[in-house]
Each structure stands twice: as structure tokens, then as C-alpha cells.
Amino acid sequence: MKKLICITDIQQLIETKQEKCMIPEQTIITPAARDLAEEHHIKFELETFTPSVGTGEFALLIKKLYAEPRLLQELMAVLENQPYVVESEDSGFKLIRGNTIRYDKVNPNSAEEKQVLFDSFNGTKMELVKLPKGTVTTVFTSEEIHFTIEGNLTTTINQKSFDSQKGDVHYYPCNSRVTRNVKENTHLLVIKIEKERCL
């Protein structure tokens, strides 16, 4: 049965000088109760189920995992050695949690790290790339589109330089020789058009 929060419930919280109103999921809050709560800076917070597992460090960890489902999901991904936490639906929809992505070294001699998100996706490959501060020269072996998620870098191609920051998109044709001066750690969404490989 759904719980109903009305104006008298908020008035009781005001009288006892409470700043939070803990509610279970699917609680119905009347408009008058919501307005009165807002007027007195009372916040509504969802109750979380915390099992009774005793005390001690291990018990505190279990309680924290139950209270924060996403943390449990991230822990499972680490235990299963997954590159990221992904949520999916029967239709094929996937949601990749950006803060769970584990980057891998491109090669032992490079500080660049990346993680492939989709491979062979309509003839393209999509990657998240993390560039550390510094200068690096690269020759692209396929057409590439780079979306700057965050960071700051200068790209030099054919002796012409372009500053790039969060939100900027660069397109690189095949055989582009590019020097990038990365001014701060930069994250890129990279789309490689594999079907148009350079000849």
C-alpha cells in the first residue's frame, strides 16, 4: 500500500524542527505538503533498506553495499574483470556508466589509455580515449571523428594548429599525420570508420 504524505505530516516535522522527510518508494505527496515542505526547507529522501548484519568493519561494508546499489554493481564489475558497468534492456539498449570505465594501455611504450565500447558497429569502432598531458604525434590509419568530452589540447596538422576544448569535434581523414599538445588530461570519444581504411 502506498504511503500518503499530507500537510499535517509536514507540520509535525516543522514542530520537531526536522529537516528531512524520509519516504518509501512510490509515496504520494500532496501539493500542499510539498509546498509547505519547500517553504520550510524540508527535503524528501527515499528510505533505503539496510539489513541487520551486526557490527564491525565487514558489517559496515555490507550495509553500504545494500544502501548504494550502484557501488555493488561497480564492485561486481571489478570482481568479474569487466571493462565497465553496462545496463541493458531486452530491446538491445545499453547504458555504459562512464565513471566505471577501466582504461587499458594502448601499448607498453605509450601513456595513452583506451577502452573499446562497440566494435564492428555498422562498419565503425567506437572508443573512449584518455590522453595524458604531453605532446604526441600520430598517423591515423582510418577516418576518425573525435569528440572532446573534457580536457584541453592543441592539434597541429600540416603546420596549422587548432585549439580544442570540451564539446569540440575533430574529423581526421585517412593518413592524417597529427601532433597533439595535450595541456591537461583529456578524454575523447573516438569513432573510427573501419570500412574506409586507408589504401
Short mmCIF file of all heavy atoms in Angstrom, two decimals, residues 12-68:
data_model
loop_
_atom_site.label_atom_id
_atom_site.label_comp_id
_atom_site.label_asym_id
_atom_site.label_seq_id
_atom_site.Cartn_x
_atom_site.Cartn_y
_atom_site.Cartn_z
N GLN A 12 4.07 18.41 11.56
CA GLN A 12 4.73 17.70 12.67
C GLN A 12 6.25 17.81 12.57
O GLN A 12 6.94 17.96 13.57
CB GLN A 12 4.30 16.23 12.68
CG GLN A 12 2.86 16.02 13.13
CD GLN A 12 2.44 14.56 13.03
OE1 GLN A 12 3.23 13.70 12.64
NE2 GLN A 12 1.20 14.28 13.39
N LEU A 13 6.77 17.72 11.33
CA LEU A 13 8.22 17.84 11.13
C LEU A 13 8.70 19.25 11.48
O LEU A 13 9.78 19.42 12.06
CB LEU A 13 8.58 17.51 9.68
CG LEU A 13 8.38 16.06 9.23
CD1 LEU A 13 8.61 15.92 7.74
CD2 LEU A 13 9.29 15.12 9.99
N ILE A 14 7.88 20.23 11.15
CA ILE A 14 8.23 21.63 11.47
C ILE A 14 8.28 21.81 12.99
O ILE A 14 9.21 22.42 13.52
CB ILE A 14 7.22 22.61 10.83
CG1 ILE A 14 7.33 22.54 9.30
CG2 ILE A 14 7.45 24.04 11.33
CD1 ILE A 14 6.20 23.23 8.56
N GLU A 15 7.28 21.26 13.68
CA GLU A 15 7.21 21.40 15.14
C GLU A 15 8.41 20.75 15.82
O GLU A 15 8.90 21.23 16.84
CB GLU A 15 5.92 20.78 15.66
CG GLU A 15 4.67 21.60 15.31
CD GLU A 15 3.39 20.86 15.63
OE1 GLU A 15 3.44 19.80 16.30
OE2 GLU A 15 2.32 21.33 15.20
N THR A 16 8.88 19.65 15.27
CA THR A 16 10.03 18.94 15.87
C THR A 16 11.37 19.37 15.26
O THR A 16 12.40 18.75 15.49
CB THR A 16 9.86 17.41 15.73
OG1 THR A 16 9.69 17.09 14.34
CG2 THR A 16 8.66 16.93 16.53
N LYS A 17 11.30 20.41 14.40
CA LYS A 17 12.49 21.00 13.78
C LYS A 17 13.29 19.99 12.96
O LYS A 17 14.52 19.95 13.01
CB LYS A 17 13.38 21.66 14.83
CG LYS A 17 12.66 22.81 15.54
CD LYS A 17 13.56 23.51 16.53
CE LYS A 17 12.80 24.65 17.20
NZ LYS A 17 13.61 25.38 18.17
N GLN A 18 12.57 19.16 12.20
CA GLN A 18 13.22 18.18 11.32
C GLN A 18 13.50 18.83 9.97
O GLN A 18 12.73 19.67 9.49
CB GLN A 18 12.29 16.97 11.11
CG GLN A 18 11.94 16.23 12.39
CD GLN A 18 13.14 15.52 12.98
OE1 GLN A 18 13.89 14.88 12.26
NE2 GLN A 18 13.31 15.64 14.28
N GLU A 19 14.60 18.43 9.34
CA GLU A 19 14.96 18.98 8.03
C GLU A 19 14.78 17.99 6.90
O GLU A 19 14.93 18.33 5.73
CB GLU A 19 16.43 19.46 8.05
CG GLU A 19 16.66 20.62 9.01
CD GLU A 19 18.10 21.07 9.02
OE1 GLU A 19 18.95 20.38 8.41
OE2 GLU A 19 18.39 22.11 9.64
N LYS A 20 14.45 16.74 7.27
CA LYS A 20 14.25 15.70 6.25
C LYS A 20 12.95 14.96 6.50
O LYS A 20 12.55 14.77 7.64
CB LYS A 20 15.41 14.69 6.26
CG LYS A 20 16.73 15.25 5.80
CD LYS A 20 17.79 14.17 5.85
CE LYS A 20 19.17 14.72 5.49
NZ LYS A 20 20.20 13.68 5.59
N CYS A 21 12.34 14.52 5.41
CA CYS A 21 11.16 13.67 5.49
C CYS A 21 11.50 12.38 4.75
O CYS A 21 11.63 12.38 3.53
CB CYS A 21 9.96 14.36 4.85
SG CYS A 21 8.45 13.35 4.91
N MET A 22 11.71 11.30 5.49
CA MET A 22 12.08 10.03 4.88
C MET A 22 10.82 9.33 4.36
O MET A 22 9.84 9.18 5.09
CB MET A 22 12.79 9.14 5.91
CG MET A 22 14.02 9.79 6.53
SD MET A 22 15.26 10.33 5.32
CE MET A 22 15.78 8.77 4.63
N ILE A 23 10.86 8.93 3.11
CA ILE A 23 9.68 8.32 2.48
C ILE A 23 10.07 7.05 1.75
O ILE A 23 11.16 6.95 1.18
CB ILE A 23 9.01 9.29 1.49
CG1 ILE A 23 10.02 9.76 0.43
CG2 ILE A 23 8.38 10.48 2.21
CD1 ILE A 23 9.42 10.59 -0.68
N PRO A 24 9.19 6.04 1.74
CA PRO A 24 9.46 4.84 0.93
C PRO A 24 9.16 5.14 -0.54
O PRO A 24 8.57 6.17 -0.87
CB PRO A 24 8.47 3.81 1.50
CG PRO A 24 7.37 4.62 2.10
CD PRO A 24 7.99 5.91 2.55
N GLU A 25 9.57 4.22 -1.42
CA GLU A 25 9.30 4.40 -2.84
C GLU A 25 7.79 4.44 -3.09
O GLU A 25 7.01 3.85 -2.36
CB GLU A 25 9.93 3.27 -3.67
CG GLU A 25 11.44 3.40 -3.80
CD GLU A 25 12.02 2.39 -4.75
OE1 GLU A 25 11.27 1.87 -5.61
OE2 GLU A 25 13.22 2.10 -4.63
N GLN A 26 7.40 5.15 -4.15
CA GLN A 26 6.01 5.27 -4.59
C GLN A 26 5.13 5.99 -3.57
O GLN A 26 3.92 5.76 -3.51
CB GLN A 26 5.41 3.89 -4.94
CG GLN A 26 6.15 3.20 -6.07
CD GLN A 26 5.51 1.90 -6.47
OE1 GLN A 26 4.81 1.27 -5.70
NE2 GLN A 26 5.75 1.49 -7.71
N THR A 27 5.72 6.85 -2.74
CA THR A 27 4.94 7.65 -1.79
C THR A 27 4.22 8.75 -2.54
O THR A 27 4.76 9.35 -3.47
CB THR A 27 5.87 8.28 -0.73
OG1 THR A 27 6.46 7.22 0.03
CG2 THR A 27 5.10 9.20 0.21
N ILE A 28 2.98 9.01 -2.13
CA ILE A 28 2.20 10.10 -2.73
C ILE A 28 2.32 11.31 -1.79
O ILE A 28 2.03 11.21 -0.60
CB ILE A 28 0.72 9.70 -2.90
CG1 ILE A 28 0.61 8.51 -3.85
CG2 ILE A 28 -0.10 10.88 -3.39
CD1 ILE A 28 -0.76 7.88 -3.90
N ILE A 29 2.74 12.44 -2.35
CA ILE A 29 2.88 13.68 -1.57
C ILE A 29 1.88 14.69 -2.12
O ILE A 29 1.89 14.98 -3.32
CB ILE A 29 4.31 14.25 -1.67
CG1 ILE A 29 5.33 13.18 -1.24
CG2 ILE A 29 4.46 15.51 -0.84
CD1 ILE A 29 6.77 13.53 -1.55
N THR A 30 1.02 15.21 -1.26
CA THR A 30 0.04 16.19 -1.73
C THR A 30 0.74 17.49 -2.10
O THR A 30 1.79 17.82 -1.52
CB THR A 30 -1.04 16.47 -0.66
OG1 THR A 30 -0.41 17.13 0.45
CG2 THR A 30 -1.72 15.20 -0.20
N PRO A 31 0.19 18.23 -3.06
CA PRO A 31 0.80 19.51 -3.46
C PRO A 31 0.97 20.48 -2.28
O PRO A 31 1.99 21.16 -2.17
CB PRO A 31 -0.18 20.06 -4.50
CG PRO A 31 -0.85 18.86 -5.06
CD PRO A 31 -0.97 17.90 -3.92
N ALA A 32 -0.02 20.52 -1.37
CA ALA A 32 0.07 21.42 -0.21
C ALA A 32 1.22 21.01 0.70
O ALA A 32 1.95 21.86 1.22
CB ALA A 32 -1.25 21.41 0.56
N ALA A 33 1.41 19.70 0.89
CA ALA A 33 2.51 19.21 1.72
C ALA A 33 3.85 19.54 1.09
O ALA A 33 4.79 19.97 1.76
CB ALA A 33 2.37 17.70 1.94
N ARG A 34 3.93 19.39 -0.23
CA ARG A 34 5.18 19.69 -0.94
C ARG A 34 5.52 21.18 -0.82
O ARG A 34 6.66 21.56 -0.57
CB ARG A 34 5.05 19.27 -2.41
CG ARG A 34 6.37 19.27 -3.15
CD ARG A 34 6.21 18.73 -4.56
NE ARG A 34 5.82 17.34 -4.61
CZ ARG A 34 6.66 16.31 -4.49
NH1 ARG A 34 7.95 16.54 -4.26
NH2 ARG A 34 6.23 15.07 -4.56
N ASP A 35 4.50 22.04 -0.99
CA ASP A 35 4.72 23.49 -0.89
C ASP A 35 5.18 23.89 0.50
O ASP A 35 6.10 24.71 0.65
CB ASP A 35 3.43 24.24 -1.26
CG ASP A 35 3.10 24.14 -2.74
OD1 ASP A 35 3.99 23.75 -3.51
OD2 ASP A 35 1.94 24.43 -3.11
N LEU A 36 4.53 23.33 1.55
CA LEU A 36 4.89 23.67 2.92
C LEU A 36 6.31 23.20 3.25
O LEU A 36 7.08 23.91 3.90
CB LEU A 36 3.87 23.06 3.91
CG LEU A 36 4.05 23.46 5.37
CD1 LEU A 36 3.90 24.97 5.56
CD2 LEU A 36 3.04 22.71 6.25
N ALA A 37 6.65 22.00 2.75
CA ALA A 37 7.99 21.47 2.98
C ALA A 37 9.04 22.37 2.32
O ALA A 37 10.08 22.68 2.91
CB ALA A 37 8.10 20.05 2.43
N GLU A 38 8.76 22.80 1.11
CA GLU A 38 9.70 23.67 0.39
C GLU A 38 9.86 25.01 1.11
O GLU A 38 10.97 25.53 1.24
CB GLU A 38 9.18 23.89 -1.03
CG GLU A 38 10.16 24.63 -1.91
CD GLU A 38 9.68 24.74 -3.36
OE1 GLU A 38 9.06 23.78 -3.86
OE2 GLU A 38 9.92 25.80 -3.96
N GLU A 39 8.73 25.53 1.62
CA GLU A 39 8.75 26.81 2.33
C GLU A 39 9.63 26.74 3.57
O GLU A 39 10.29 27.71 3.95
CB GLU A 39 7.30 27.17 2.72
CG GLU A 39 7.16 28.51 3.41
CD GLU A 39 5.71 28.79 3.81
OE1 GLU A 39 4.80 28.28 3.13
OE2 GLU A 39 5.52 29.49 4.82
N HIS A 40 9.66 25.57 4.24
CA HIS A 40 10.44 25.40 5.48
C HIS A 40 11.74 24.63 5.24
O HIS A 40 12.34 24.13 6.20
CB HIS A 40 9.57 24.72 6.54
CG HIS A 40 8.47 25.60 7.06
ND1 HIS A 40 8.64 26.46 8.12
CD2 HIS A 40 7.19 25.79 6.62
CE1 HIS A 40 7.51 27.12 8.34
NE2 HIS A 40 6.61 26.73 7.44
N HIS A 41 12.13 24.50 3.96
CA HIS A 41 13.41 23.86 3.58
C HIS A 41 13.51 22.42 4.08
O HIS A 41 14.58 21.98 4.53
CB HIS A 41 14.60 24.69 4.08
CG HIS A 41 14.51 26.14 3.69
ND1 HIS A 41 14.66 26.56 2.39
CD2 HIS A 41 14.27 27.26 4.42
CE1 HIS A 41 14.52 27.88 2.34
NE2 HIS A 41 14.28 28.33 3.55
N ILE A 42 12.41 21.71 4.02
CA ILE A 42 12.40 20.29 4.39
C ILE A 42 12.55 19.47 3.11
O ILE A 42 11.79 19.68 2.15
CB ILE A 42 11.11 19.91 5.13
CG1 ILE A 42 11.06 20.66 6.48
CG2 ILE A 42 11.02 18.41 5.34
CD1 ILE A 42 9.77 20.50 7.23
N LYS A 43 13.52 18.57 3.10
CA LYS A 43 13.78 17.77 1.90
C LYS A 43 13.20 16.37 2.05
O LYS A 43 13.23 15.79 3.13
CB LYS A 43 15.29 17.67 1.66
CG LYS A 43 15.92 19.01 1.34
CD LYS A 43 17.40 18.87 1.11
CE LYS A 43 18.03 20.22 0.80
NZ LYS A 43 19.48 20.13 0.59
N PHE A 44 12.68 15.84 0.94
CA PHE A 44 12.18 14.47 0.90
C PHE A 44 13.32 13.55 0.47
O PHE A 44 14.01 13.82 -0.51
CB PHE A 44 11.01 14.34 -0.09
CG PHE A 44 9.80 15.12 0.31
CD1 PHE A 44 9.53 16.36 -0.25
CD2 PHE A 44 8.93 14.63 1.27
CE1 PHE A 44 8.41 17.08 0.11
CE2 PHE A 44 7.81 15.35 1.65
CZ PHE A 44 7.55 16.59 1.07
N GLU A 45 13.53 12.46 1.24
CA GLU A 45 14.57 11.50 0.89
C GLU A 45 14.00 10.09 0.94
O GLU A 45 13.23 9.76 1.84
CB GLU A 45 15.76 11.61 1.85
CG GLU A 45 16.58 12.86 1.63
CD GLU A 45 17.91 12.82 2.38
OE1 GLU A 45 18.28 11.74 2.89
OE2 GLU A 45 18.55 13.88 2.46
N LEU A 46 14.41 9.28 -0.05
CA LEU A 46 13.94 7.90 -0.11
C LEU A 46 14.57 7.06 0.99
O LEU A 46 15.78 7.15 1.23
CB LEU A 46 14.27 7.27 -1.46
CG LEU A 46 13.36 7.64 -2.64
CD1 LEU A 46 13.89 6.99 -3.90
CD2 LEU A 46 11.93 7.19 -2.38
N GLU A 47 13.75 6.26 1.64
CA GLU A 47 14.27 5.32 2.64
C GLU A 47 14.99 4.20 1.91
O GLU A 47 14.56 3.77 0.85
CB GLU A 47 13.13 4.73 3.47
CG GLU A 47 12.44 5.74 4.37
CD GLU A 47 11.25 5.13 5.11
OE1 GLU A 47 10.80 4.04 4.70
OE2 GLU A 47 10.76 5.75 6.06
N THR A 48 16.10 3.75 2.45
CA THR A 48 16.81 2.60 1.88
C THR A 48 16.77 1.45 2.86
O THR A 48 16.86 1.65 4.07
CB THR A 48 18.27 2.96 1.57
OG1 THR A 48 18.89 3.47 2.75
CG2 THR A 48 18.35 4.00 0.47
N PHE A 49 16.62 0.25 2.32
CA PHE A 49 16.60 -0.95 3.16
C PHE A 49 18.02 -1.32 3.54
O PHE A 49 18.89 -1.49 2.69
CB PHE A 49 15.95 -2.11 2.41
CG PHE A 49 16.15 -3.44 3.09
CD1 PHE A 49 15.48 -3.74 4.27
CD2 PHE A 49 17.03 -4.37 2.57
CE1 PHE A 49 15.68 -4.96 4.89
CE2 PHE A 49 17.23 -5.59 3.20
CZ PHE A 49 16.54 -5.88 4.36
N THR A 50 18.29 -1.39 4.81
CA THR A 50 19.60 -1.83 5.30
C THR A 50 19.40 -3.07 6.17
O THR A 50 18.74 -3.00 7.20
CB THR A 50 20.27 -0.73 6.14
OG1 THR A 50 20.36 0.45 5.34
CG2 THR A 50 21.65 -1.15 6.59
N PRO A 51 19.92 -4.22 5.75
CA PRO A 51 19.72 -5.43 6.52
C PRO A 51 20.46 -5.39 7.85
O PRO A 51 21.46 -4.68 7.99
CB PRO A 51 20.32 -6.52 5.61
CG PRO A 51 21.34 -5.80 4.80
CD PRO A 51 20.81 -4.42 4.59
N SER A 52 19.98 -6.15 8.80
CA SER A 52 20.64 -6.23 10.09
C SER A 52 21.73 -7.29 10.02
O SER A 52 21.44 -8.48 9.93
CB SER A 52 19.61 -6.61 11.17
OG SER A 52 20.25 -6.75 12.41
N VAL A 53 22.99 -6.82 9.97
CA VAL A 53 24.10 -7.77 9.82
C VAL A 53 25.11 -7.62 10.94
O VAL A 53 26.24 -8.05 10.81
CB VAL A 53 24.80 -7.58 8.45
CG1 VAL A 53 23.91 -8.00 7.32
CG2 VAL A 53 25.26 -6.14 8.28
N GLY A 54 24.72 -7.01 12.03
CA GLY A 54 25.61 -6.88 13.17
C GLY A 54 26.50 -5.67 13.05
O GLY A 54 26.19 -4.71 12.38
N THR A 55 27.64 -5.72 13.72
CA THR A 55 28.56 -4.58 13.74
C THR A 55 29.92 -5.01 13.24
O THR A 55 30.15 -6.17 12.94
CB THR A 55 28.69 -4.02 15.17
OG1 THR A 55 29.17 -5.07 16.02
CG2 THR A 55 27.36 -3.51 15.68
N GLY A 56 30.84 -4.08 13.19
CA GLY A 56 32.18 -4.38 12.72
C GLY A 56 32.39 -3.87 11.31
O GLY A 56 31.47 -3.47 10.62
N GLU A 57 33.67 -3.91 10.87
CA GLU A 57 34.05 -3.36 9.58
C GLU A 57 33.35 -4.06 8.42
O GLU A 57 32.84 -3.43 7.49
CB GLU A 57 35.57 -3.48 9.43
CG GLU A 57 36.13 -2.65 8.30
CD GLU A 57 37.65 -2.63 8.31
OE1 GLU A 57 38.24 -2.53 9.40
OE2 GLU A 57 38.22 -2.73 7.23
N PHE A 58 33.27 -5.40 8.46
CA PHE A 58 32.62 -6.15 7.39
C PHE A 58 31.13 -5.82 7.33
O PHE A 58 30.56 -5.63 6.25
CB PHE A 58 32.82 -7.65 7.59
CG PHE A 58 32.18 -8.49 6.52
CD1 PHE A 58 32.71 -8.52 5.24
CD2 PHE A 58 31.03 -9.22 6.79
CE1 PHE A 58 32.11 -9.28 4.25
CE2 PHE A 58 30.43 -9.98 5.80
CZ PHE A 58 30.98 -10.02 4.54
N ALA A 59 30.51 -5.72 8.50
CA ALA A 59 29.08 -5.41 8.55
C ALA A 59 28.82 -4.03 7.97
O ALA A 59 27.83 -3.83 7.24
CB ALA A 59 28.59 -5.48 10.00
N LEU A 60 29.68 -3.07 8.26
CA LEU A 60 29.52 -1.71 7.72
C LEU A 60 29.63 -1.72 6.20
O LEU A 60 28.90 -1.01 5.51
CB LEU A 60 30.56 -0.78 8.32
CG LEU A 60 30.37 -0.43 9.80
CD1 LEU A 60 31.55 0.39 10.31
CD2 LEU A 60 29.06 0.35 10.01
N LEU A 61 30.55 -2.53 5.66
CA LEU A 61 30.70 -2.64 4.22
C LEU A 61 29.44 -3.22 3.58
O LEU A 61 28.94 -2.70 2.57
CB LEU A 61 31.91 -3.52 3.88
CG LEU A 61 32.11 -3.84 2.39
CD1 LEU A 61 32.34 -2.56 1.60
CD2 LEU A 61 33.28 -4.79 2.21
N ILE A 62 28.88 -4.28 4.17
CA ILE A 62 27.66 -4.89 3.64
C ILE A 62 26.51 -3.89 3.65
O ILE A 62 25.75 -3.77 2.68
CB ILE A 62 27.29 -6.15 4.45
CG1 ILE A 62 28.38 -7.22 4.30
CG2 ILE A 62 25.94 -6.70 4.01
CD1 ILE A 62 28.60 -7.71 2.90
N LYS A 63 26.38 -3.15 4.75
CA LYS A 63 25.31 -2.14 4.84
C LYS A 63 25.48 -1.09 3.75
O LYS A 63 24.51 -0.65 3.14
CB LYS A 63 25.33 -1.48 6.22
CG LYS A 63 24.81 -2.39 7.33
CD LYS A 63 24.86 -1.69 8.68
CE LYS A 63 24.39 -2.62 9.79
NZ LYS A 63 24.47 -1.97 11.11
N LYS A 64 26.71 -0.68 3.51
CA LYS A 64 26.97 0.35 2.49
C LYS A 64 26.61 -0.17 1.11
O LYS A 64 26.03 0.55 0.29
CB LYS A 64 28.44 0.77 2.54
CG LYS A 64 28.76 1.97 1.65
CD LYS A 64 30.15 2.47 1.94
CE LYS A 64 30.51 3.65 1.05
NZ LYS A 64 29.68 4.82 1.28
N LEU A 65 26.93 -1.43 0.84
CA LEU A 65 26.61 -2.01 -0.46
C LEU A 65 25.11 -2.11 -0.68
O LEU A 65 24.61 -1.87 -1.78
CB LEU A 65 27.26 -3.39 -0.60
CG LEU A 65 28.79 -3.41 -0.71
CD1 LEU A 65 29.31 -4.83 -0.70
CD2 LEU A 65 29.24 -2.69 -1.97
N TYR A 66 24.36 -2.46 0.37
CA TYR A 66 22.90 -2.53 0.25
C TYR A 66 22.31 -1.14 0.06
O TYR A 66 21.33 -0.96 -0.65
CB TYR A 66 22.29 -3.20 1.48
CG TYR A 66 22.12 -4.68 1.35
CD1 TYR A 66 23.09 -5.55 1.83
CD2 TYR A 66 21.02 -5.23 0.71
CE1 TYR A 66 22.96 -6.92 1.70
CE2 TYR A 66 20.89 -6.60 0.56
CZ TYR A 66 21.85 -7.44 1.06
OH TYR A 66 21.71 -8.80 0.92
N ALA A 67 22.89 -0.15 0.72
CA ALA A 67 22.36 1.21 0.64
C ALA A 67 22.70 1.87 -0.70
O ALA A 67 22.00 2.78 -1.13
CB ALA A 67 22.91 2.06 1.78
N GLU A 68 23.76 1.42 -1.37
CA GLU A 68 24.18 2.02 -2.64
C GLU A 68 24.31 0.93 -3.70
O GLU A 68 25.38 0.39 -3.93
CB GLU A 68 25.50 2.75 -2.46
CG GLU A 68 25.44 3.88 -1.44
CD GLU A 68 26.76 4.59 -1.28
OE1 GLU A 68 27.43 4.83 -2.30
OE2 GLU A 68 27.13 4.89 -0.13
#
